Amino acid sequence: MREPAVVARLAREITSGLKTGDLADFYQDLHRHPELAFQEHRTAAKLALRLRTAGYAVTEGVARTGVVGVLANGDGPVVWLRGDMDALPVREATGLAYASTVDGVMHACGHDLHVTWLAAAAEALAAARATWSGTLVVVGQPAEEAEGGAAAMVADGIHARFPRPDALFGQHAAPGLAGFYPHTPGLTLSASDDVDVVVHGVGGHGSRPESTVDPVVTAAYIVTRLQSVVAREVAASESAVLTVGRFHAGTQSNVIPAEARLALNVRTQDTRVRERVLTAIRRVVEGECAAAGCPVPPEVTLVPGYPNTVNDPALDGEIAAVHRELFGEHTVFDFGQAMGSEDFSLLAPPGVPYDYWYVTSTPAAVWEAAPGEELREKFDEVPGNHSPLFAPDLSVLVPGVRTLVSAALSRLVV
């Protein structure tokens, strides 16, 4: 690890030629053409072209639409930089001149920013390869949004097919007044699990409910009862979130359906809490179905999602120090543990340290107009990730490249 001031100075020199306008063209093009998980063919091709032009050995089609670029530049550590590429099934409402042209699909989580930062950082480091030694691996990951893209890349042999990392870095656009770079050592993001539930009833005519076992009513009781799991079975000192994100039953008003389906999401930060919540879900579902006299036991299917994201404390401290040197002492702070989830950590082989930080991206005018005086009050009022109004400020384009470049340089040797 070089001295933070040395790394910051070198990163600033390497990226001194970056212009917001040049980066904006690429970013806005990605934003206009969002692609859902495992459909990122256009995005992947654009990233691959820029990496290949910069001198990387590029492999496309990793886990279907993933891209991996390798730049071997002498002896030294192996550093991986990762950016995710997929968009969301969200209808954009920003009114931007470069808004999505794909109906019902939007880069509502900032992954278009992530690809822009990744491509530009890779190019800057390749152009300045005389200043460092080692191997740089650039990973364009598909399907972060609950589709298991990182796991798919691992299953496709990313750890065996490419140089093993000595450190892995990633970052995420986040709400908050643009110009800050939150770092959290240790646990920073929560584990996520999905639970699918099928309630089996007895269907029939809406005019004769007494001849049926109504799964809609039973499922409604389940939804209501589940709200007490976190409130009454998880200690106030522990963290958990249980959300019912989908409730589907029936086809028309005068038909009582034979089944109802629920889709749940669980966020936890402790394995014991996770098991407690998942056990409670099964107990509630089975209990309500038994009380309703359902003819067949319910189906409760756990779909494991993402593990906790736990930054290596020493590595995070080093990168945070570099970012303080780059942007100012006041710009880096501990955001704390969040209930959001990521599959980023799966890309790190066992024992390999990783660091994952944030780049706040809310335009100053939007931040100032948000109600409230305290930071937390305003944070809750500005458009966040997954909002149809999420519109990062273009001022974060160059700084987001510098954060990645400086992180890579902190490990690569001269």
Side-chain angles (χ1 to χ4, degrees):
M1 166 69 186
R2 302 176 181 180
E3 288 296 319
V6 175
V7 175
R9 183 171 62 253
L10 182 56
R12 202 176 288 115
E13 292 172 359
I14 286 175
T15 59
S16 61
L18 290 176
K19 304 296 182 185
T20 296
D22 295 336
L23 297 176
D25 291 341
F26 185 68
Y27 164 68
Q28 291 174 357
D29 177 73
L30 294 179
H31 191 86
R32 288 189 187 98
H33 302 94
E35 297 171 299
L36 295 174
F38 291 122
Q39 299 175 29
E40 311 95 330
H41 301 285
R42 183 180 186 275
T43 305
K46 285 187 168 292
L47 174 60
L49 176 61
R50 292 187 67 157
L51 293 178
R52 195 172 284 114
T53 302
Y56 289 77
V58 177
T59 303
E60 298 181 68
V62 181
R64 294 158 59 182
T65 50
V67 177
V68 178
V70 179
L71 183 62
N73 189 40
D75 295 333
V78 178
V79 171
W80 284 22
L81 301 180
R82 173 267 202 176
D84 39 6
M85 303 187 295
D86 54 324
L88 284 158
V90 172
R91 180 167 287 105
E92 183 160 358
T94 62
L96 292 168
Y98 52 89
S100 171
T101 59
V102 183
D103 186 43
V105 181
M106 176 192 174
H107 269 297
C109 201
H111 296 185
D112 45 355
L113 262 182
H114 302 175
V115 175
T116 303
W117 289 333
L118 185 69
E123 291 170 336
L125 286 162
R129 70 190 75 183
T131 65
W132 58 270
S133 180
T135 298
L136 186 62
V137 178
V138 177
V139 180
Q141 182 201 309
E144 184 276 332
E145 297 289 356
E147 294 289 345
M153 294 192 93
V154 172
D156 200 16
I158 191 171
H159 292 157
R161 296 166 60 186
F162 303 100
R164 177 184 172 87
D166 293 296
L168 167 67
F169 296 113
Q171 61 185 11
H172 206 299
L177 178 63
F180 294 88
Y181 310 90
H183 276 261
T184 299
L187 177 66
T188 183
L189 288 170
S190 304
S192 174
D193 295 286
D194 290 336
V195 182
D196 293 332
V197 175
V198 182
V199 176
H200 298 284
V202 176
H205 200 287
S207 67
R208 299 183 61 240
E210 73 280 2
S211 66
T212 71
V213 177
D214 193 337
V216 177
V217 173
T218 303
Y221 274 116
I222 290 172
V223 171
T224 301
R225 181 61 183 243
L226 287 175
Q227 306 312 304
S228 69
V229 170
V230 173
R232 288 295 175 267
E233 300 192 42
V234 176
S237 59
E238 298 171 326
S239 297
V241 174
L242 198 172
T243 298
V244 180
R246 187 169 69 242
F247 187 141
H248 180 78
T251 55
Q252 63 184 60
S253 61
N254 65 344
V255 176
I256 294 174
E259 68 177 31
R261 293 177 176 267
L262 303 174
L264 286 55
N265 182 253
V266 178
R267 306 292 175 109
T268 54
Q269 297 177 341
D270 181 272
T271 55
R272 293 171 302 172
V273 174
R274 175 180 180 269
E275 291 306 316
R276 192 182 312 148
V277 171
L278 294 177
T279 298
I281 289 171
R282 182 175 293 277
R283 186 189 70 242
V284 167
V285 171
E286 292 176 348
E288 291 294 345
C289 288
C294 293
V296 177
E299 299 173 40
V300 182
T301 305
L302 172 64
V303 184
Y306 302 156
N308 291 322
T309 301
V310 184
N311 285 330
D312 181 85
L315 182 61
D316 182 73
E318 292 173 3
I319 305 306
V322 171
H323 290 166
R324 288 190 183 94
E325 289 285 346
L326 260 178
F327 304 110
E329 186 72 25
H330 71 287
T331 66
V332 178
F333 59 93
D334 187 346
F335 186 77
Q337 301 167 358
M339 295 309 297
S341 302
E342 252 275 10
D343 62 355
F344 165 77
S345 64
L346 295 175
L347 292 175
V352 172
Y354 60 81
D355 193 29
Y356 185 88
W357 62 87
Y358 305 92
V359 178
T360 59
S361 61
T362 302
V366 174
W367 183 261
E368 292 301 323
E373 298 296 329
E374 301 296 326
L375 184 148
R376 175 55 62 180
E377 293 175 316
K378 285 185 172 290
F379 184 84
D380 289 339
E381 294 295 332
V382 298
N385 305 90
H386 294 208
S387 164
L389 297 172
F390 187 66
D393 193 275
L394 297 184
S395 68
V396 305
L397 285 168
V398 171
V401 178
R402 288 186 172 139
T403 50
L404 284 177
V405 167
S406 60
L409 289 173
S410 74
R411 316 314 292 178
L412 298 169
V413 298
V414 291

